[in-house]
Amino acid sequence: KAGVTQTPRYLIKTRGQQVTLSCSPISGHRSVSWYQQTPGQGLQFLFEYFSETQRNKGNFPGRFSGRQFSNSRSEMNVSTLELGDSALYLCASSFGWGVRETQYFGPGTRLLVL
Amino acid sequence: AQTVTQSQPEMSVQEAETVTLSCTYDTSESDYYLFWYKQPPSRQMILVIRQEAYKQQNATENRFSVNFQKAAKSFSLKISDSQLGDAAMYFCAYRSGGIQGAQKLVFGQGTRLTINP
């Protein structure tokens, strides 16, 4: 089975622009979570989707949004980019939505905001 | 809110020896899960081992084992017979057992492990 894939792998944007990142979960997985990883703040939870519904959200401003499609693929969008949004964005998928599920991570999208 | 603390930013060990990575957490919940994830350089994060809080027995996965001390809120990872491929950033993570926080992981800051040949 193919693992979690994320596109693009690398991205350079300038302040004020917006960006869309994509995540394709493992085939059959219906839950997708997003995390931001920075040297200063570490790994922080952004949001989680299951069956096209946002189930949980972290403490990020409204500039960060996401969605999930009927095929379980997910996108996250960051509008009005700031320098501090430079980070590795990780996507993780799991089969279902429940505490016993194991999350499998993708390779990440590295975003640089200039 | 739950917090996870890894007090060792860096650790190093000789190949074939044993190393223990420390993790403490703070929570008022009684039902939760703890994890160790490994993130090799420029590679994706993978699950090393998980522990359910309701289980008294420490989890073991081949060369990896944990020492789970619920009362002390401590969750250390022991790697036996260290191999060069074990070199990575190791993250301790917490997940609430309540359905509300089903997939949300709270991570520690990580410990960078170096294996010396």
Side-chain angles (χ1 to χ4, degrees):
Chain A
K1 246 185 199 179
V4 178
T5 58
Q6 293 186 244
T7 57
R9 293 294 310 278
Y10 303 92
L11 207 47
I12 299 176
K13 292 286 188 178
T14 56
R15 276 183 303 173
Q17 287 187 312
Q18 75 165 15
V19 68
T20 299
L21 312 182
S22 180
C23 171
S24 293
I26 292 172
S27 178
H29 284 195
R30 296 165 61 194
S31 175
V32 173
S33 300
W34 290 88
Y35 294 83
Q36 181 196 63
Q37 185 176 18
T38 61
Q41 299 298 317
L43 281 149
Q44 294 184 288
F45 173 78
L46 279 157
F47 29 64
E48 166 197 352
Y49 288 87
F50 179 77
S51 292
E52 302 178 63
T53 301
Q54 187 179 91
R55 299 284 181 167
N56 214 338
K57 191 177 190 307
N59 296 323
F60 278 82
R63 300 185 296 108
F64 291 81
S65 62
R67 59 178 176 169
Q68 186 180 34
F69 302 94
S70 58
N71 62 358
S72 295
R73 189 177 69 86
S74 177
E75 289 181 347
M76 67 163 281
N77 184 276
V78 188
S79 62
T80 319
L81 283 166
E82 299 177 0
L83 296 180
D85 297 333
S86 294
L88 179 67
Y89 290 89
L90 296 172
C91 163
S93 78
S94 59
F95 177 76
W97 186 70
V99 297
R100 298 188 181 279
E101 298 292 335
T102 295
Q103 294 182 62
Y104 297 87
F105 283 82
T109 293
R110 189 166 295 280
L111 172 65
L112 177 62
V113 182
L114 301 176
Chain B
Q2 296 80 26
T3 58
V4 177
T5 302
Q6 294 178 248
S7 59
Q8 307 152 316
E10 296 184 358
M11 293 276 288
S12 64
V13 64
Q14 290 296 125
E15 193 176 2
E17 293 189 345
T18 295
V19 64
T20 299
L21 308 184
S22 301
C23 172
T24 58
Y25 58 95
D26 188 27
T27 184
S28 58
E29 298 176 329
S30 59
D31 184 19
Y32 52 87
Y33 295 75
L34 297 165
F35 305 83
W36 279 99
Y37 278 89
K38 167 185 175 181
Q39 188 178 39
S42 301
R43 293 177 60 187
Q44 58 205 79
M45 186 134 44
I46 58 174
L47 177 67
V48 174
I49 198 165
R50 62 180 273 168
Q51 174 81 42
E52 291 86 347
Y54 63 85
K55 288 186 178 179
Q56 292 186 335
Q57 187 172 5
N58 290 325
T60 300
E61 289 287 343
N62 301 314
R63 298 182 295 107
F64 299 86
S65 62
V66 298
N67 183 5
F68 173 48
Q69 301 290 326
K70 191 171 184 178
K73 295 180 182 174
S74 169
F75 183 61
S76 61
L77 174 70
K78 185 172 85 170
I79 306 174
S80 304
D81 186 26
S82 297
Q83 301 176 359
L84 295 178
D86 295 333
M89 195 75 158
Y90 285 82
F91 292 96
C92 178
Y94 172 103
R95 190 169 79 193
S96 171
I99 199 70
Q100 187 63 29
Q103 298 298 335
K104 175 184 175 181
L105 289 168
V106 177
F107 286 91
Q109 286 296 101
T111 296
R112 185 174 302 281
L113 178 64
T114 301
I115 312 295
N116 301 311

